[in-house]
Amino acid sequence: MAEPAATTDVPAAGSKSQQAYDAVKQRIVDGAYPPGHRLVLAAIAQDLGVSVVPVREAIRRLEAEGLVTFQRNVGATVAGIDPTEYLYTMQTLSLVEGAATALSAPLISATDLERARAVNDAMRACLQDFDPVRFTRLNQDFHAILFEHCPNPHILDLVHRGWNRLASLRSSTFRFVPERARESVEEHAHLLALIAGGADADAVERAARRHRSATLDAYLTHFSTTEAISDASPDHG
Amino acid sequence: MAEPAATTDVPAAGSKSQQAYDAVKQRIVDGAYPPGHRLVLAAIAQDLGVSVVPVREAIRRLEAEGLVTFQRNVGATVAGIDPTEYLYTMQTLSLVEGAATALSAPLISATDLERARAVNDAMRACLQDFDPVRFTRLNQDFHAILFEHCPNPHILDLVHRGWNRLASLRSSTFRFVPERARESVEEHAHLLALIAGGADADAVERAARRHRSATLDAYLTHFSTTEAISDASPDHG
DNA sequence: GAGTACAAAATCGTATACGAAGAGTAGGCA
DNA sequence: TGCCTACTCTTCGTATACGATTTTGTACTC
């Protein structure tokens, strides 16, 4: 329901609604439509060669996912993430991702673990000559391996939505708090050891959750925004 | 985004889309549209005195919330909850409700606690001459008091969505496993004691989560569906 | 008698058109 | 010169209309 194109069975191009949804979503996560960008129905419709009706539906779907904000009789804009939203999103993500990882853990194969290790090694290598965007991408790859086997599709969907929200800021906390990157790699190793060792679900969940919470904390203390959150903005503040 | 009419600031009647959304959602949770009921756009539109376009939008929103299922070129039906869905929903709800309750705990006032106690007393009284529907309603009231102060609106929204999903089966697990009702009341008392005593967030979260998980477990063992889940259906199996 | 092919009805998907609400701008008045 | 007001322009909201697709009923054949 949230994945744009899995293999071939998705009638993505079948419905113009879906087409519009995919296209707009793509442009948002790609950064072609930056946060705050106004989404004018007629313009998008013409651009995609369809009528406004499917576009309108697409926008409403994106609104439900939190990727755009909507105001009646005014229009939609790409939902930039202000610091408060970032806090809420990261908090929610720590919750659902922790659970998804724990539920996935028993289903993760040896080859998956190997892949995850490889990705983490790449992240470690990425530490010198640090590139936040690349690091963030690898970070997502790493975690995706760990939670994608989650048997509960609802929880998995929530994880995807959280990641999508964060995708609008192209580089994550690591851009502002590069020190956090090194810790992150170590925590990944620890998490892998837990899973490989067959640790119980609770331990995995706690580790995964704390891992993300720690990133959030690093962000918060960096901007010393424990009280005046609305001052610091990751991208445009 | 999920609450139909808070006080006065919601332009519920302002937009026909919103009007349709509220109306259809109401009928679904009320049971006027039972699970499996076909939602025909033209019929609903005529019934509400609007065109099909706003109705269509409303349906799509309800789809995003999981209250209706949609099939291209076929139509929408009220999303009955099959046992697998029930499992997923309860599991997700235990996760997000546990977190919401924990985050709310420090913000719960003495009067709130008193209200919650009163509701739980009513549930206890309801145990003799057991009425599952009434008990379920009180149960929701009880938990709503505990999680409504959750400062993270995303998590709070997820809790609401979970409850809405479950609302389509008018009476919950308690209908099939009345023994669980008594335990539930006791666990409520325990949870209140934890919150009143200022227990740390982790303890509250665990208690709240286990409380719901226990209800799910009661359901699962009752139908002895630990493996063959798809056999037992709560309402229409 | 059962299965298949065709046709008709029902329903959805999208386009176009028009009315309504908000935002920006220019002009007038204090 | 500054502020208020009226007007226009953009953009959204909804209705109506038509084409596309699926389902279902029926007749025909094996």
Side-chain angles (χ1 to χ4, degrees):
Chain A
M1 194 193 289
E3 295 81 352
T7 53
T8 68
D9 59 331
V10 177
S15 142
K16 307 214 175 170
S17 259
Q18 184 72 22
Q19 223 170 306
Y21 171 81
D22 290 339
V24 175
K25 184 172 178 178
Q26 184 72 31
R27 296 182 191 186
I28 290 177
V29 289
D30 279 2
Y33 292 158
H37 183 259
R38 271 197 78 181
L39 298 170
V40 180
L41 295 181
I44 298 174
Q46 185 173 4
D47 194 34
L48 296 176
V50 301
S51 164
V52 295
V53 181
V55 178
R56 187 184 166 78
E57 230 182 78
I59 300 281
R60 292 308 271 261
R61 276 219 272 163
L62 292 167
E63 182 199 8
E65 287 182 41
L67 282 170
V68 310
T69 59
F70 200 85
Q71 217 179 342
R72 175 172 160 75
N73 280 320
V74 173
T77 59
V78 177
I81 288 197
D82 65 275
T84 308
E85 268 300 306
Y86 180 74
L87 172 74
Y88 291 151
T89 303
M90 284 289 279
Q91 196 175 37
T92 309
L93 192 54
S94 84
L95 179 70
V96 296
E97 191 183 66
T101 305
L103 288 171
S104 284
L107 304 171
I108 293 177
S109 70
T111 58
D112 288 329
L113 275 177
E114 205 42 60
R115 276 200 302 145
R117 271 195 205 95
V119 173
N120 201 36
D121 287 345
M123 292 176 77
R124 199 188 310 273
C126 186
L127 283 177
Q128 46 252 38
D129 194 30
F130 186 61
D131 173 3
V133 174
R134 175 171 155 75
F135 190 85
T136 298
R137 186 174 197 84
L138 287 170
N139 188 43
Q140 169 155 13
D141 290 346
F142 176 85
H143 285 288
I145 296 172
L146 296 192
F147 64 64
E148 277 302 345
H149 290 89
C150 176
N152 185 326
H154 293 182
I155 294 178
L156 188 55
D157 186 50
L158 295 180
V159 176
H160 284 141
R161 292 193 183 194
W163 277 99
N164 277 337
R165 277 228 181 108
L166 293 176
S168 36
L169 19 92
R170 316 271 294 120
S171 63
S172 68
T173 300
F174 302 119
R175 180 168 170 192
F176 311 100
V177 197
E179 314 89 72
R180 173 69 193 143
R182 185 170 300 277
E183 293 171 26
S184 193
V185 171
E186 296 315 316
E187 288 170 18
H188 286 176
H190 177 60
L191 192 54
L192 286 178
L194 274 179
I195 295 173
D200 66 272
D202 204 54
V204 175
E205 176 169 358
R206 286 167 169 281
R209 190 195 288 199
R210 262 211 312 253
H211 170 58
R212 185 150 302 285
S213 298
T215 300
L216 174 57
D217 288 344
Y219 167 82
L220 289 176
T221 59
H222 177 72
F223 288 99
S224 60
T225 51
T226 6
E227 340 199 38
I229 287 176
S230 41
D231 276 3
S233 172
D235 254 337
H236 34 341
Chain B
M1 194 194 287
E3 296 80 351
T7 53
T8 68
D9 58 331
V10 177
S15 141
K16 308 217 175 168
S17 260
Q18 183 72 21
Q19 224 171 305
Y21 172 80
D22 290 339
V24 175
K25 184 173 178 179
Q26 183 74 29
R27 295 182 193 185
I28 291 176
V29 290
D30 279 3
Y33 291 158
H37 182 258
R38 271 197 78 181
L39 297 170
V40 179
L41 295 181
I44 297 173
Q46 185 173 5
D47 194 33
L48 296 176
V50 300
S51 166
V52 295
V53 181
V55 176
R56 188 183 165 79
E57 229 182 78
I59 300 281
R60 291 309 269 263
R61 277 219 272 163
L62 292 167
E63 182 199 7
E65 288 182 40
L67 281 170
V68 311
T69 60
F70 200 84
Q71 217 180 341
R72 176 172 158 76
N73 279 320
V74 174
T77 59
V78 177
I81 287 196
D82 66 274
T84 308
E85 269 298 306
Y86 180 73
L87 172 73
Y88 293 151
T89 303
M90 284 289 278
Q91 197 175 35
T92 308
L93 193 53
S94 84
L95 179 69
V96 295
E97 191 183 68
T101 304
L103 289 170
S104 283
L107 303 171
I108 294 177
S109 69
T111 58
D112 288 329
L113 276 176
E114 204 42 60
R115 277 200 302 145
R117 273 196 203 94
V119 173
N120 201 36
D121 287 345
M123 292 177 77
R124 200 188 309 272
C126 187
L127 283 176
Q128 47 253 37
D129 194 28
F130 187 61
D131 174 2
V133 175
R134 174 172 157 74
F135 189 85
T136 299
R137 184 172 199 86
L138 287 170
N139 188 43
Q140 169 155 14
D141 292 345
F142 176 85
H143 285 288
I145 296 173
L146 297 193
F147 64 64
E148 277 301 346
H149 290 91
C150 176
N152 186 325
H154 293 182
I155 295 178
L156 188 55
D157 186 50
L158 294 179
V159 175
H160 284 141
R161 293 194 182 193
W163 276 99
N164 277 337
R165 276 228 182 110
L166 293 176
S168 39
L169 16 95
R170 317 269 295 121
S171 62
S172 67
T173 300
F174 302 119
R175 179 169 169 190
F176 311 100
V177 196
E179 315 86 74
R180 174 67 194 146
R182 185 170 299 276
E183 293 171 27
S184 194
V185 170
E186 296 314 315
E187 288 170 18
H188 286 177
H190 176 62
L191 193 54
L192 286 178
L194 275 180
I195 295 172
D200 65 273
D202 204 56
V204 175
E205 178 169 357
R206 286 168 169 283
R209 189 195 289 199
R210 262 213 312 254
H211 170 58
R212 184 151 303 283
S213 297
T215 299
L216 174 57
D217 289 344
Y219 167 82
L220 289 177
T221 59
H222 177 71
F223 287 98
S224 60
T225 51
T226 6
E227 338 197 40
I229 286 177
S230 42
D231 276 4
S233 169
D235 254 336
H236 34 346

Coordinates of all heavy atoms in Angstrom, one line a residue, chain A residues 39-41 56 73-74, chain D residues 10-15:
Chain A
L39 N 2.5 23.0 -3.9 CA 2.1 22.0 -4.8 C 0.7 22.5 -5.4 O -0.3 22.4 -4.8 CB 1.9 20.6 -4.2 CG 3.1 20.0 -3.5 CD1 2.7 18.8 -2.7 CD2 4.1 19.6 -4.6
V40 N 0.8 23.0 -6.6 CA -0.3 23.6 -7.3 C -0.9 22.5 -8.2 O -0.2 21.9 -9.0 CB 0.0 24.8 -8.1 CG1 -1.2 25.3 -8.9 CG2 0.6 25.9 -7.3
L41 N -2.2 22.2 -8.0 CA -2.8 21.1 -8.6 C -2.7 21.2 -10.1 O -2.2 20.2 -10.8 CB -4.3 21.0 -8.2 CG -4.5 20.6 -6.7 CD1 -6.0 20.5 -6.5 CD2 -3.9 19.3 -6.4
R56 N -5.2 15.5 -7.4 CA -5.8 15.9 -6.1 C -5.9 14.7 -5.2 O -5.5 14.8 -4.0 CB -7.3 16.4 -6.4 CG -8.0 16.9 -5.2 CD -9.4 17.2 -5.6 NE -10.2 17.5 -4.4 CZ -10.2 18.6 -3.7 NH1 -9.4 19.6 -4.1 NH2 -10.9 18.7 -2.6
N73 N -8.8 25.4 0.7 CA -9.0 26.6 -0.2 C -7.7 27.4 -0.4 O -7.6 28.4 -1.0 CB -10.0 27.6 0.4 CG -11.4 27.2 0.0 OD1 -11.6 26.7 -1.1 ND2 -12.3 27.3 1.0
V74 N -6.6 26.8 0.1 CA -5.3 27.4 -0.1 C -4.4 26.5 -0.9 O -3.8 27.0 -1.9 CB -4.7 27.8 1.3 CG1 -3.3 28.3 1.1 CG2 -5.5 28.8 2.0
Chain D
dT10 P -3.8 35.2 -12.9 OP1 -2.5 35.5 -13.7 OP2 -5.0 34.9 -13.6 O5' -3.4 34.1 -11.9 C5' -2.6 34.4 -10.7 C4' -3.0 33.5 -9.5 O4' -4.4 33.9 -9.1 C3' -3.1 32.0 -9.8 O3' -2.2 31.4 -8.9 C2' -4.5 31.6 -9.6 C1' -5.0 32.7 -8.7 N1 -6.5 32.9 -8.7 C2 -7.2 32.7 -7.6 O2 -6.7 32.4 -6.5 N3 -8.6 33.0 -7.7 C4 -9.2 33.4 -8.9 O4 -10.4 33.5 -8.9 C5 -8.4 33.5 -10.0 C7 -9.0 34.0 -11.3 C6 -7.1 33.3 -9.9
dT11 P -1.7 29.9 -9.2 OP1 -0.3 29.8 -8.6 OP2 -1.9 29.6 -10.6 O5' -2.7 29.0 -8.4 C5' -2.8 29.2 -7.0 C4' -4.0 28.5 -6.4 O4' -5.2 29.3 -6.9 C3' -4.3 27.1 -7.0 O3' -4.1 26.2 -5.9 C2' -5.7 27.1 -7.6 C1' -6.3 28.4 -6.9 N1 -7.4 29.0 -7.8 C2 -8.6 29.3 -7.2 O2 -8.8 29.0 -6.0 N3 -9.5 29.8 -8.0 C4 -9.4 30.1 -9.3 O4 -10.3 30.6 -10.0 C5 -8.1 29.7 -9.9 C7 -7.8 30.0 -11.4 C6 -7.2 29.2 -9.1
dC12 P -4.4 24.6 -6.1 OP1 -3.3 23.9 -5.4 OP2 -4.7 24.4 -7.5 O5' -5.7 24.4 -5.3 C5' -5.8 24.9 -4.0 C4' -7.3 25.0 -3.5 O4' -8.0 25.8 -4.5 C3' -8.0 23.7 -3.5 O3' -8.8 23.7 -2.3 C2' -8.9 23.7 -4.7 C1' -9.2 25.2 -4.9 N1 -9.5 25.6 -6.2 C2 -10.8 26.1 -6.5 O2 -11.6 26.2 -5.6 N3 -11.1 26.5 -7.8 C4 -10.2 26.3 -8.8 N4 -10.6 26.7 -10.0 C5 -8.9 25.8 -8.5 C6 -8.6 25.5 -7.2
dG13 P -9.6 22.3 -1.9 OP1 -9.6 22.2 -0.5 OP2 -9.0 21.2 -2.7 O5' -11.0 22.7 -2.5 C5' -11.9 23.4 -1.7 C4' -13.4 23.2 -2.2 O4' -13.5 23.7 -3.5 C3' -13.8 21.7 -2.2 O3' -15.1 21.7 -1.7 C2' -13.7 21.3 -3.7 C1' -14.0 22.7 -4.4 N9 -13.3 22.8 -5.7 C8 -12.0 22.5 -5.9 N7 -11.7 22.7 -7.2 C5 -12.9 23.2 -7.8 C6 -13.2 23.6 -9.1 O6 -12.4 23.6 -10.1 N1 -14.5 23.9 -9.3 C2 -15.4 23.9 -8.3 N2 -16.7 24.3 -8.6 N3 -15.2 23.6 -7.0 C4 -13.9 23.2 -6.8
dT14 P -15.8 20.3 -1.5 OP1 -16.7 20.4 -0.3 OP2 -14.8 19.2 -1.5 O5' -16.7 20.1 -2.8 C5' -17.7 21.2 -3.0 C4' -18.3 21.0 -4.3 O4' -17.4 21.2 -5.4 C3' -18.9 19.5 -4.6 O3' -20.3 19.6 -4.7 C2' -18.2 19.1 -5.9 C1' -17.7 20.4 -6.5 N1 -16.5 20.3 -7.3 C2 -16.5 20.7 -8.6 O2 -17.5 21.2 -9.1 N3 -15.3 20.5 -9.3 C4 -14.1 20.0 -8.8 O4 -13.1 20.0 -9.5 C5 -14.2 19.6 -7.4 C7 -12.9 19.0 -6.8 C6 -15.3 19.7 -6.7
dA15 P -21.2 18.4 -5.0 OP1 -22.4 18.5 -4.3 OP2 -20.4 17.1 -4.9 O5' -21.5 18.6 -6.5 C5' -22.0 19.9 -6.9 C4' -22.2 19.9 -8.4 O4' -21.0 20.0 -9.1 C3' -23.0 18.7 -9.0 O3' -24.0 19.1 -9.8 C2' -21.9 18.0 -9.7 C1' -20.9 19.0 -10.1 N9 -19.5 18.6 -10.2 C8 -18.8 18.0 -9.2 N7 -17.6 17.7 -9.5 C5 -17.5 18.1 -10.8 C6 -16.4 18.1 -11.7 N6 -15.2 17.5 -11.4 N1 -16.6 18.5 -13.0 C2 -17.8 19.1 -13.3 N3 -18.9 19.2 -12.5 C4 -18.6 18.7 -11.3

